[in-house]
Amino acid sequence: MEVTDSLNFGHKDRKDIYEYIESHGTVREDEVRRALNFEPVALGTHLTILRRDGYIRKVGKHVEVAYAPGEEETFELDDLDVTIRMAQDVDLESLVDAIHEVADEGRYIEGETVADVLDHEEVVLRHNEVRSRMVFVATVEDELAGWVHLDLPEAEKLSHTAVLTVGTRPEFRGHGIGSKLLERGVDWAREHGFEKLYNSVPATNEGAIEFLEDHGWETEAVREDHYKINGEYVDEVMMAVRLR
């Protein structure tokens, strides 16, 4: 299942089961049964139908949302072998740490918000009737080097747009990893019918602004004094790129 697929369960109980699994990540079947107060036979029937319809998959005694795994790509960038793939729940701790590491430089407020949401929800990918998200990560020898995150609104009037954040940990910069991550995020959004992407950064983050401009993004608006960083007011630069 893609995070852009429409959701149609045909039964309230199956909707409740999917929403519980979607919001908790990989969970044991007996946990689902206890949490939602299902009889074992009834739960088994609903899980079978949800698996048949491609919404969930079984992993041992656990169940999880059956997101399509996506293509895994490996690049040789300078002296590094870099793999870019769809993030998984096992990446959660490393992903949050990486985003916080970049955000703590004080130059990426939107990234800090993403990290806080991930840390609070304890689930990497989301797909529900309110909002969905896709995350790709770059790894070097199994160490998480960077990420690209797409926040995908489900509201019909905003469903053609998405908010993208991207970052690379300091020790992995200068090899083109950020460019590959940005390319992966933009390509995915274009392939899934999105028309426009946004990314907001403080005006003091000149490197990020230049990076996005070098990849075809433009400044769409500036909100004066939107951030307060270390006691100083800083403008927000709202960047955007059209995909069609």
Side-chain angles (χ1 to χ4, degrees), residues 100-241:
H100 273 308
E101 185 175 354
V102 174
D104 287 348
E105 296 175 321
R107 302 186 303 165
Y108 207 175
I109 312 304
E110 293 297 318
E112 183 177 354
T113 301
V114 169
D116 289 343
V117 170
L118 288 167
D119 196 25
H120 173 72
E121 295 182 353
E122 298 184 333
V123 180
V124 174
L125 304 182
R126 298 298 306 269
H127 181 34
N128 55 58
E129 294 177 344
V130 177
R131 184 171 295 273
S132 301
R133 65 171 171 253
M134 172 57 74
V135 185
F136 296 98
V137 293
T139 60
V140 177
E141 295 183 353
D142 296 327
E143 186 173 1
L144 198 145
W147 83 93
V148 59
H149 170 282
L150 290 143
D151 190 13
L152 315 169
E154 294 293 333
E156 182 178 354
K157 293 180 181 179
L158 292 173
S159 61
H160 63 294
T161 68
V163 178
L164 179 149
T165 58
V166 60
T168 307
R169 294 173 60 195
E171 63 266 38
F172 292 104
R173 292 174 187 163
H175 301 281
I177 295 175
S179 294
K180 290 295 185 183
L181 283 165
L182 181 62
E183 180 182 325
R184 180 65 176 266
V186 170
D187 287 348
W188 184 93
R190 183 182 291 112
E191 291 166 3
H192 288 80
F194 291 90
E195 300 175 17
K196 195 173 187 180
L197 297 177
Y198 292 94
N199 190 341
S200 295
V201 297
T204 51
N205 194 345
E206 297 175 354
I209 294 171
E210 182 179 356
F211 170 75
L212 291 171
E213 288 177 339
D214 288 345
H215 290 82
W217 293 59
E218 298 179 348
T219 298
E220 186 163 278
V222 175
R223 292 201 286 185
E224 295 184 0
D225 299 340
H226 183 65
Y227 300 121
K228 193 172 185 178
I229 303 174
N230 297 326
E232 299 290 333
Y233 291 102
V234 177
D235 294 347
E236 176 192 41
V237 180
M238 303 176 71
M239 309 287 290
V241 65

Side-chain angles (χ1 to χ4, degrees), residues 10-21:
H11 196 289
K12 181 182 181 302
D13 287 347
R14 286 195 285 278
K15 180 175 183 290
D16 291 343
I17 293 167
Y18 171 84
E19 289 179 347
Y20 185 87
I21 297 169

Side-chain angles (χ1 to χ4, degrees), residues 13-14 16-17 32-34 36-40 42-43 46:
D13 287 347
R14 286 195 285 278
D16 291 343
I17 293 167
V32 179
R33 180 177 58 80
R34 289 194 300 270
L36 300 180
N37 196 28
F38 275 101
E39 293 294 330
L43 177 64
H46 290 310

